[in-house]
Amino acid sequence: MHVAKAGRRGHMAQVTGIRHWSTPNYTRVAIDLGDDVTYEAARVPNPDRIYFDLHGTRLAQELVGKSFAVTDDGFLKRIRVAQFSNDMTRVVLDVNDVTEYSAFLLPNPYRLIIDIHGGSKAESGAPAVSVPMQRPAAPAPSVPNTTAVKSGSSFDVAAVSAQPGRVEATTQPTSQPISAVVSDRAQPDRTQPDRAQGSGLRFQGGDGASAGAAAGVAASSAEVTVPVPSTRKLRHGKGAKDADAVPARAAVPTADGETSMVRALGLKVGRIVIDAGHGGHDSGTLGVDGIEEKDVVLDVALRLGKLLHERLGSEIIYTRSDDTFIPLETRTAIANKAQADLFLSIHANSSADASARGVETYYLNFTSSPDALETAARENAVSDQSIHQLSDLVKKIALKDKIAESREFAGDVEQSLYGGLQKGNAGLKDRGVKKAPFVVLIGANMPSILAEISFVTNAKDSRQLQQPEYRERVAESLYKGVARYAGGLSGAKAPTERASGN
């Protein structure tokens, strides 16, 4: 079991920033820390608030005395943070109508990732809101989608834990992943304002349940900083007119003969997020002859997006369209924020065995396979020990329907990827569909997969991946897999005109 390292004498981790992504029924928050920490968590109803007590931490000076109201009309309304005691920082998230939340620590650098889901205020059937193009040329404000407000009394943050109806998600400070589900979300009795709403929780994960309360805290609140992702949308594709004419039809069952909720409801694929792994200072695997994973997968991702847009009329959003570093947690959040229908992360494999070759495709689930865990640990840039923790978290929070569709999606992509690359490629292996706890897939609200397109540590694969023609062949094979999956549903959504970006 992972336990946070004991801090050096007089040394505490510093809370340096808080980043957020929010929609009407989903919020992801990343709290940037200077070191490994333990934390406690709890929920307080009427109105819904989730708070986290970070032990062994100090609040960075630039965050002291500040409070921010979130203005993007999403699920998250306000973030408050304060130095709760000499060695503990409290972060309070004011949200709407919580149904479940989870949290886990990631290293390199350390940050606490929090996912919160809740009831949507949006009308059913409302169109998805498009994420605008974000250009790195113009400097981004330090606190996007927020309005600075004067901090209230120091009692505001401290008093949260003293409110009636508090439901704890940890029994003691922990560094383990946690997950909690609100099992009773009935409206409170207005004639008895002190009665807690949603006091029934099903506890999961970590060390169980409890965030101790304390009193007295210096007034302060969160400064929210979001790195500008290199998202880019493509213009209306020439294949879009044909897509408009495709008649509606019933979805076919999955390969297992099942009809998931996605298929029963006749849902279609319209918006796809393509994630090129690594980027910036994170080169990924350094392969034979100096080939870098980050460059190969970016080129393939851009080629794939072009094919999907032109042939399926899909709206394409890239998590990065240049050599930019995007944190793992940001990539999934971009897809959720965009309300995407599919998420596809592209990577190149590596092995200590230089003869290892082939393609494989992953979907998010817990596993005991050493090879799958090793691959996940490498792509996650976390320890094997942390991987087992993430497996435990995935086991608790994964939705069966999303797993089923992700497995189907992975199967279609793997079949097409291998089928498109095997001709004239002796020795290439179909390594199959596998499951593993990849951080980049955790929290995605749509079918999501990670494709390992070849081994850059293999001499033959490396030579091929340096050729534009072969990269186009990889992109073409991935396209056929996505198209095959979309064809098994009710088809593709009729495309709409979209703004384009450079």
Side-chain angles (χ1 to χ4, degrees):
M1 181 178 75
H2 170 74
V3 177
K5 300 186 297 291
R8 297 186 298 274
R9 184 183 296 269
H11 172 80
M12 287 186 287
Q14 189 172 52
V15 179
T16 57
I18 300 179
R19 297 167 285 129
H20 76 87
W21 305 262
S22 190
T23 71
N25 59 4
Y26 161 83
T27 283
R28 167 164 282 188
V29 176
I31 303 174
D32 296 321
L33 306 165
D35 208 340
D36 200 358
V37 304
T38 59
Y39 65 93
E40 296 179 273
R43 166 183 168 266
V44 179
N46 301 328
D48 270 335
R49 287 148 291 170
I50 306 291
Y51 70 87
F52 288 80
D53 288 339
L54 310 175
H55 291 260
T57 63
R58 295 287 293 176
L59 192 60
Q61 186 59 40
E62 59 268 25
L63 299 184
V64 173
K66 296 181 181 178
S67 175
F68 292 94
V70 182
T71 59
D72 60 2
D73 197 30
F75 184 51
L76 179 65
K77 296 305 178 186
R78 186 166 55 154
I79 301 176
R80 295 174 283 160
V81 63
Q83 193 65 48
F84 191 84
S85 65
N86 287 336
D87 62 352
M88 186 169 73
T89 303
R90 171 170 289 179
V91 178
V92 179
L93 309 174
D94 296 344
V95 291
N96 283 326
D97 206 15
V98 173
T99 59
E100 60 182 330
Y101 66 97
S102 59
F104 57 97
L105 282 167
L106 287 178
N108 304 322
Y110 274 100
R111 64 264 196 212
L112 179 66
I113 309 302
I114 303 164
D115 284 328
I116 307 172
H117 292 81
S120 175
K121 304 293 184 186
E123 296 180 9
S124 59
V129 178
S130 178
V131 175
M133 172 65 188
Q134 301 186 58
R135 305 172 189 270
S142 60
V143 190
N145 300 322
T146 61
T147 299
V149 296
K150 187 176 181 180
S151 292
S153 165
S154 62
F155 182 73
D156 290 348
V157 175
V160 170
S161 54
Q163 299 299 307
R166 185 180 82 249
V167 185
E168 301 161 335
T170 48
T171 52
Q172 60 186 12
T174 182
S175 54
Q176 301 293 304
I178 64 163
S179 178
V181 178
V182 179
S183 60
D184 177 9
R185 297 170 58 238
Q187 292 298 316
D189 184 346
R190 298 301 179 189
T191 65
Q192 302 181 45
D194 290 338
R195 179 180 295 177
Q197 169 191 358
S199 57
L201 260 184
R202 184 168 75 251
F203 298 116
Q204 300 176 313
D207 294 333
S210 110
V217 59
S220 52
S221 251
E223 177 165 348
V224 183
T225 57
V226 180
V228 180
S230 300
T231 56
R232 187 170 85 189
K233 298 179 184 178
L234 301 178
R235 293 182 185 276
H236 196 56
K238 59 186 178 184
K241 283 188 178 180
D242 295 335
D244 283 333
V246 176
R249 55 179 173 72
V252 300
T254 66
D256 294 337
E258 299 179 354
T259 300
S260 68
M261 187 66 69
V262 169
R263 292 162 194 266
L265 293 176
L267 301 183
K268 299 176 175 63
V269 173
R271 182 177 293 135
I272 303 172
V273 169
I274 300 177
D275 172 50
H278 309 283
H281 68 265
D282 177 12
S283 62
T285 298
L286 184 64
V288 177
D289 296 328
I291 187 173
E292 292 186 281
E293 179 183 0
K294 67 173 184 177
D295 297 330
V296 172
V297 298
L298 175 60
D299 186 49
V300 170
L302 296 175
R303 292 172 185 272
L304 172 61
K306 186 172 184 290
L307 292 173
L308 287 168
H309 181 69
E310 290 180 346
R311 298 181 187 177
L312 290 186
S314 302
E315 179 180 357
I316 302 302
I317 298 175
Y318 300 107
T319 57
R320 68 180 183 98
S321 57
D322 56 21
D323 188 18
T324 301
F325 173 74
I326 305 293
L328 293 174
E329 67 272 12
T330 303
R331 298 166 188 257
T332 314
I334 288 171
N336 287 343
K337 180 78 173 176
Q339 299 183 23
D341 300 302
L342 295 176
F343 179 85
L344 171 56
S345 187
I346 303 174
H347 290 253
N349 223 332
S350 69
S351 175
D353 179 2
S355 67
R357 295 194 66 207
V359 296
E360 57 192 21
T361 308
Y362 288 86
Y363 65 97
L364 180 68
N365 210 336
F366 54 95
T367 181
S368 57
S369 165
D371 289 343
L373 290 173
E374 180 183 351
T375 301
R378 183 175 62 250
E379 300 295 3
N380 291 339
V382 298
S383 67
D384 291 339
Q385 192 175 40
S386 297
I387 280 291
H388 285 286
Q389 291 179 42
L390 294 175
S391 290
D392 192 50
L393 176 66
V394 170
K395 191 182 303 184
K396 294 180 175 72
I397 68 174
L399 301 176
K400 180 182 177 183
D401 200 58
K402 196 195 80 173
I403 289 178
E405 284 299 330
S406 295
R407 182 174 61 241
E408 188 78 2
F409 184 22
D412 288 335
V413 167
E414 176 68 13
Q415 180 177 343
S416 297
L417 185 57
Y418 176 69
L421 299 180
Q422 67 169 331
K423 187 176 180 180
N425 202 354
L428 186 74
K429 294 182 180 180
D430 180 358
R431 300 171 67 92
V433 172
K434 302 178 180 180
K435 53 191 178 183
F438 287 97
V439 170
V440 76
L441 304 181
I442 291 178
N445 293 336
M446 70 294 299
S448 49
I449 64 172
L450 184 149
E452 298 276 7
I453 58 174
S454 284
F455 281 77
V456 293
T457 49
N458 178 273
K460 183 173 182 179
D461 282 359
S462 178
R463 284 195 300 272
Q464 291 180 142
L465 287 172
Q466 293 181 58
Q467 301 168 5
E469 298 80 10
Y470 191 77
R471 295 184 186 185
E472 183 68 22
R473 188 173 168 186
V474 173
E476 179 77 31
S477 302
L478 289 170
Y479 160 76
K480 290 180 179 179
V482 177
R484 179 186 178 94
Y485 175 75
L489 300 177
S490 297
K493 293 177 184 175
T496 56
E497 291 290 348
R498 293 172 292 277
S500 66
N502 297 322

